[in-house]
């Protein structure tokens, strides 16, 4: 096994002061202009410049000069969903900026930037990151804590060799993620083609409210998990991450104490449509269908289950599509409240009172049939990605423990 010395991140990088949100300066976001990155734009090792990207104008960009991003920087999320990292590619826009949830690491010649990014996402780095977080409403990581992180530092040639191996393995994961994103876009395009914007009701369907279809939202309790319980027969409580991707992930659950016995109305069932009532502003209101039978998995207080109007039940797959549409997600985010910039909540009343166009049931069923094939393909890609993620984690461990 190769022995490698440790170095502080702050000795290898300039850790640039985190930014701020333009709205705190009385500025507004633009439709076009200079890209303004948030934590959601840092994912999967990449800078995500998608259709939800925000922009600022040139005067605001100059005002926020302390958080200007340069090509070759490494970004890391430090608020809310912490510990995600990304490299800023050499073909990125020449001018970009970021908010206070993103820190900028500017590597010196002592460290290879790709090596640094891969290490930041490794189990070794994540243990240090989560061990340093400030607990409270949301997780936070200070710039000083980033500077103090200890990274294995082999010679530069060895760093480049390790980074090249991890880059090649990472490409397989990226291809699966791209396939999943394309399938998700296809579902949204089918929905838009058939129904348009149901919040604006631009196709003039009968007008109504969510409460015309949904009688209530059922929920569980805020339960304390037992991290020492490994009994597979114990009850497990879902984490919010079980629904945020739009596909239900039963593995995103935590074991409860062995003595816990769940009320029957807290258990999830095949066919349930679940809703995240608390999350970041971007992820609040995410929905996911339970498409299999599970035992002893219970709802927390932050995830709701749709309880349908028995006399006017919609197609759940259609409702899932509607809640996943950009206009509806925007409406949820707009109605959400919370003192934190990263964690929002919404009440049942605010969801049930959203005004919408209400397509007839036959059209809803037609939509559901059209997207079932895309859902099967996406689920297959998700399963393949899970296998690749496991292999990649093993490779990362070997890389940063001197075994690669």
């Amino acid at each position: 096994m190769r022995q490698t010395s440790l170095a502080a991140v702050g000795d290898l990088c300039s850790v640039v002061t985190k930014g701020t949100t333009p709205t705190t300066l009385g500025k507004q976001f633009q439709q076009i202009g200079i890209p303004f990155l948030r934590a959601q734009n840092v994912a999967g090792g990449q800078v995500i410049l998608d259709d939800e990207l925000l922009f600022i104008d040139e005067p605001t960009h100059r005002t926020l000069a302390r958080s200007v991003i340069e090509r070759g920087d490494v970004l890391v999320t430090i608020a809310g969903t912490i510990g995600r990292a990304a490299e800023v590619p050499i073909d990125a826009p020449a001018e970009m900026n970021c908010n206070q949830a993103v820190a900028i690491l500017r590597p010196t010649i002592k460290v290879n930037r790709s090596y640094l990014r891969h290490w930041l996402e490794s189990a070794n780095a994540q243990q240090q990151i989560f061990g340093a977080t400030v607990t409270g409403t949301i997780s936070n990581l200070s710039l000083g804590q980033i500077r103090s992180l200890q990274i294995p530092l082999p010679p530069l040639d060895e760093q480049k060799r390790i980074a090249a191996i991890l880059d090649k393995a990472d490409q397989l994961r990226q291809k699966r993620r791209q396939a999943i994103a394309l399938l998700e876009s296809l579902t949204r395009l089918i929905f838009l083609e058939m129904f348009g914007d149901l919040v604006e009701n631009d196709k003039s369907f009968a007008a109504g409210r969510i409460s015309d279809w949904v009688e209530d939202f059922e929920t569980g309790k805020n339960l304390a998990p037992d991290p020492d319980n490994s009994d597979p027969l114990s009850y497990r409580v879902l984490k919010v991450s079980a629904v945020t991707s739009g596909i239900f992930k039963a593995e995103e659950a935590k074991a409860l104490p062995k003595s816990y016995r769940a009320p029957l109305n807290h258990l999830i069932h095949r066919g349930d449509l679940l809703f995240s009532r608390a999350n970041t502003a971007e992820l609040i209101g995410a929905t996911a269908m339970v498409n299999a039978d599970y035992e002893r998995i219970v709802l927390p207080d932050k995830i709701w289950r749709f309880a349908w109007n028995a006399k006017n039940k919609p197609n759940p797959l259609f409702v899932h599509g509607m809640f996943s549409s950009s206009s509806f997600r925007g409406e949820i985010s707009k109605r959400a409240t919370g003192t934190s910039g990263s964690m929002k909540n919404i009440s049942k009343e605010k969801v049930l009172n959203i005004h919408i166009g209400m397509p007839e049931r036959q059209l809803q069923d037609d939509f559901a049939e059209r997207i079932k094939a895309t859902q099967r393909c996406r689920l297959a890609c998700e399963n393949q990605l899970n296998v690749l993620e496991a292999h990649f984690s093993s490779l990362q461990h070997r890389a940063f423990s001197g075994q690669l």
Side-chain angles (χ1 to χ4, degrees), residues 69-91:
I69 296 168
E70 297 179 2
R71 293 164 176 168
D73 286 344
V74 174
L75 309 180
V76 60
T77 58
I78 59 173
T81 305
I82 64 172
R84 294 203 306 255
E87 298 176 52
V88 181
I90 59 173
D91 60 350

Side-chain angles (χ1 to χ4, degrees), residues 14 36 114 137 199 216 260 327 359 403:
S14 171
F36 185 83
S114 185
T137 306
V199 176
D216 196 5
Y260 179 78
S327 64
Q403 302 176 55

Side-chain angles (χ1 to χ4, degrees), residues 13-77:
C13 304
S14 171
V15 181
V16 181
T17 304
K18 58 188 178 181
T20 188
T21 301
T23 52
T24 63
L25 305 175
K27 305 287 186 176
Q28 298 298 319
F29 290 114
Q30 311 291 315
Q31 295 296 317
I32 58 173
I34 295 169
F36 185 83
L37 305 186
R38 301 168 289 168
Q40 71 185 85
N41 299 111
V42 179
Q46 296 183 320
V47 176
I48 308 299
L49 304 177
D50 58 11
D51 57 0
E52 295 185 4
L53 182 64
L54 301 179
F55 298 92
I56 56 177
D57 58 23
E58 180 65 35
T60 305
H61 178 63
R62 290 197 298 270
T63 301
L64 303 176
R66 67 178 185 171
S67 54
V68 171
I69 296 168
E70 297 179 2
R71 293 164 176 168
D73 286 344
V74 174
L75 309 180
V76 60
T77 58

